[in-house]
Amino acid sequence: MLSSHVRSAGARPGRAVALIAIFPLSLGLISPALASAPSSAASAASAPAASDARRAYAAAGWQGRQLDSDGAIPSGFGNYKDWGLTVDTALALAADGRHPKKLATVTSAVKKHYYADYATYQGTVSANAMSKTLVLAKSLHRNARDFGGHDLRRIVLNRMAGSGAGVEQGRLRDKTTTDLPTDYSNTFGQAYGVIGLARSGGVPMKAVSYLLRQRCSDGYFRIYPVVGETCDQSGSAADVDATALAVQALVTARDHGVSLPAGVLSGSVGWLVTVQKSNGSFGGGVGTEASNTNSTGLAAQALAATKRWTPASLARAWVRKLQITTYRAGKGPAAKDVGAIAYDKAALKDALANGLTSTSRGQFQRATPQAYFALDREPLGKLLAP
């Protein structure tokens, strides 16, 4: 695992990070949803302040400027593109909605490249990548049955294991035409799949049931399935990122008519609240237990989706402290990267002192899209570009 951890829902699990900055933003540029006055104490707690709207705008804008001439985020390895991170970038730009040219650029690039360059590898069709792209397509108001020339909904449904798979029934798993032995599908892809299917015409209960089998009795979700063993039987470690995405998936399924077992959703949300650190931050899973903006952004998004406004606001406040702002950067080396969000305190300190280097920029590019959702908190089940 990379220490700077944004986990991709692509063909292979990975982790990464990024930084946020603030540009001046007139009130006229703030969306009506963010600028409107709250009508109650609950809505006041849920509505980001104007300063958070400016921070979100700056973060999305910085991330959009990281796109290369092909409309993708570079991987940092030769001429390869990081299409999973590019999809994350598109989701943040769609949620913000105030950088239409960048959103159009990245949308066009993803449509053109996702199938061949992101979702397939040596004959294997990735369930994770297809599921995540399905969520993006719906967030962009696009036809999920013809996105870039492919029927995304049908492809994701075809990744689902049938009754003949036994305990694996309902799992969204990789399918291959070669002899590759490894299935890289995991709880991230299952959660994205539940969200995407629910939003595009309905999610089969067996997909939701398989996701629930990745939940331990303490309320958390494991990231990697263990064939034939429940989460408790396998002794799988807790994973904040997987739990946050699973919570969003369960909320989306519920909102689209799926009946959930009593106490499951509240128990998992309760677990998230119990592992929140006193400063408002969250750590991730094994190897990324320390406070980081990736995990905190995902957790804040899940907490907001379940209307747990107080812990979501604490998470937002912590992420705010790790954003590169005009005030923090001054005229120093980080001034040209206002809008980025650091993975952790050490990354922010280094950036303010030395600027973003060729080795550190990739971490910021990977942290910002997920940290963005601590500021905006638009849930994946309802995310829609303007």
Side-chain angles (χ1 to χ4, degrees):
M1 294 271 181
L2 298 175
S3 61
S4 55
H5 89 268
V6 165
R7 295 190 193 178
S8 168
R12 283 166 175 70
R15 292 199 183 241
V17 188
L19 275 178
I20 281 186
I22 297 177
F23 290 108
L25 178 66
S26 69
L27 290 177
L29 289 177
I30 298 175
S31 67
L34 294 176
S36 59
S39 59
S40 67
S43 60
S46 66
S51 60
D52 291 309
R54 292 193 291 270
R55 286 173 178 271
Y57 173 81
W62 181 86
Q63 188 68 20
R65 293 193 299 278
Q66 307 311 300
L67 297 168
D68 64 14
S69 58
D70 293 325
I73 300 293
S75 69
F77 300 96
N79 294 322
Y80 292 102
K81 318 293 185 183
D82 191 330
W83 289 106
L85 180 54
T86 302
V87 171
D88 287 331
T89 299
L91 286 168
L93 286 167
D96 181 72
R98 293 171 289 177
H99 301 277
K101 291 184 179 180
K102 292 297 185 182
L103 180 57
T105 295
V106 72
T107 298
S108 177
V110 170
K111 285 181 65 177
K112 181 179 179 180
H113 291 279
Y114 81 87
Y115 190 84
D117 298 328
Y118 173 43
T120 58
Y121 177 74
Q122 294 185 5
T124 297
V125 179
S126 166
N128 280 22
M130 285 297 184
S131 296
K132 190 174 181 180
T133 307
L134 175 58
V135 173
L136 175 63
K138 294 306 299 179
S139 299
L140 295 172
H141 303 273
R142 300 307 172 100
N143 183 1
R145 297 183 183 276
D146 185 11
F147 187 70
H150 299 279
D151 187 337
L152 269 172
R153 178 175 170 83
R154 180 183 62 81
I155 293 172
V156 172
L157 286 171
N158 284 344
R159 307 272 80 70
M160 190 181 306
S163 57
V167 294
E168 289 285 274
Q169 182 179 7
R171 178 176 181 175
L172 299 174
R173 58 189 185 183
D174 298 347
K175 285 191 176 180
T176 181
T177 57
T178 68
D179 294 327
L180 289 177
T182 304
D183 182 351
Y184 291 100
S185 62
N186 57 32
T187 302
F188 270 31
Q190 192 75 21
Y192 278 117
V194 168
I195 295 170
L197 290 172
R199 293 188 61 179
S200 63
V203 57
M205 187 62 209
K206 60 184 179 181
V208 179
S209 296
Y210 185 80
L211 177 62
L212 288 171
R213 290 200 292 276
Q214 309 319 307
R215 181 183 184 274
C216 266
S217 57
D218 286 343
Y220 66 81
F221 283 73
R222 62 186 175 187
I223 180 63
Y224 300 117
V226 178
V227 178
E229 293 183 358
T230 66
C231 185
D232 288 322
Q233 289 171 341
S234 65
S236 296
D239 194 287
V240 166
D241 302 43
T243 303
L245 275 176
V247 164
Q248 292 196 67
L250 295 178
V251 169
T252 307
R254 182 199 63 190
D255 290 348
H256 286 80
V258 173
S259 296
L260 301 176
V264 164
L265 184 56
S266 60
S268 292
V269 176
W271 180 84
L272 279 175
V273 173
T274 64
V275 298
Q276 185 173 27
K277 301 179 189 297
S278 59
N279 61 7
S281 68
F282 287 84
V286 176
T288 59
E289 297 91 346
S291 297
N292 66 82
T293 58
N294 287 129
S295 297
T296 303
L298 285 172
Q301 195 178 24
L303 291 167
T306 53
K307 296 181 172 54
R308 298 298 296 269
W309 303 122
T310 297
S313 295
L314 291 172
R316 180 174 64 192
W318 186 79
V319 169
R320 283 170 56 105
K321 296 177 182 178
L322 296 184
Q323 186 174 26
I324 298 180
T325 66
T326 52
Y327 174 78
R328 290 184 180 125
K331 295 183 180 180
K336 59 186 176 183
D337 285 298
V338 164
I341 300 174
Y343 177 72
D344 56 20
K345 290 182 178 180
L348 177 62
K349 182 178 179 180
D350 179 71
L352 293 177
N354 304 306
L356 299 191
T357 66
S358 58
T359 56
S360 66
R361 181 169 297 273
Q363 187 191 53
F364 287 92
Q365 291 170 342
R366 287 165 175 78
T368 298
Q370 287 183 339
Y372 168 90
F373 287 100
L375 302 173
D376 187 324
R377 303 188 310 197
E378 186 74 12
L380 292 172
K382 295 181 178 179
L383 195 162
L384 281 173

